Amino acid sequence: MTWQHITPEEGRRMPWKNGGGTTLELAVEPPGASLESGFRWRLSSAEVGVSGPFSPFPGLERWLLLLEGEGFDLDFGPRGRVRLTEPLAPVRFSGDWPATATLVGGPCTDFNLMVDPRCCHARVESFRLASPRTLSRPADSALLVFVAGGTVHVPEADLHLGRRHLLRVEDGPDRLQLIPGYGGAALVVVELRKI
């Protein structure tokens, strides 16, 4: 099995494209890709400290989930509004859309996945893990397991994942067992299939 375990300390802290905040990049494909060079997909976590516009990402598909805080309202102009206040509830939208966030309360932290739909298809699932669960990994796909809360043991890799840790699995077994630590865990699982 080819896997990579990434902790928050190993992430790459980067300024937002519009300069309004910072993002902790946990994984990007191809490795080392930047906003300037472009990427097939990118997974990050952003601290949203003040209300304001989101950076535009034309041509990309975006997924946002609230990790911490009271969340924010997303205004997409003529395409409507979405309230991102429920933890781990995914919101999907186009990076072409103008988006402005208005904080509901204080600062919050989000989970952000951006995908180039010309290169790959993304499936995002979030859930509470209270008992062992086995994930399937289809052929020609990458599996990303992000621990939003709690801890998880992965027997196939002999790994213990802590809060905000990411496991990236590229190939190997088509099944991956996840065993929650005491008190359970909250997970975001992303399947990225090449087109």
Side-chain angles (χ1 to χ4, degrees), residues 70-152:
E70 295 179 57
F72 46 85
D73 288 320
L74 273 175
D75 184 350
F76 296 117
R79 292 180 174 86
R81 293 172 178 257
V82 173
R83 185 162 252 233
L84 189 72
T85 54
E86 182 184 340
L88 301 181
V91 172
R92 178 183 176 188
F93 61 98
S94 170
D96 292 276
W97 295 1
T100 300
T102 302
L103 292 173
V104 171
C108 57
T109 305
D110 68 25
F111 169 100
N112 184 10
L113 173 70
M114 290 188 279
V115 176
D116 185 340
R118 298 170 301 176
C119 303
C120 59
H121 171 75
R123 189 172 69 83
V124 178
E125 180 186 9
S126 62
F127 54 89
R128 304 280 175 186
L129 187 70
S131 58
R133 178 172 172 176
T134 301
L135 299 179
S136 297
R137 188 190 62 79
D140 295 325
S141 68
L143 197 63
L144 307 175
V145 179
F146 177 81
V147 182
T151 61
V152 174

Side-chain angles (χ1 to χ4, degrees), residues 173-187:
D174 57 1
R175 298 193 178 279
L176 195 69
Q177 189 176 18
L178 304 176
I179 301 173
Y182 180 76
L187 303 180

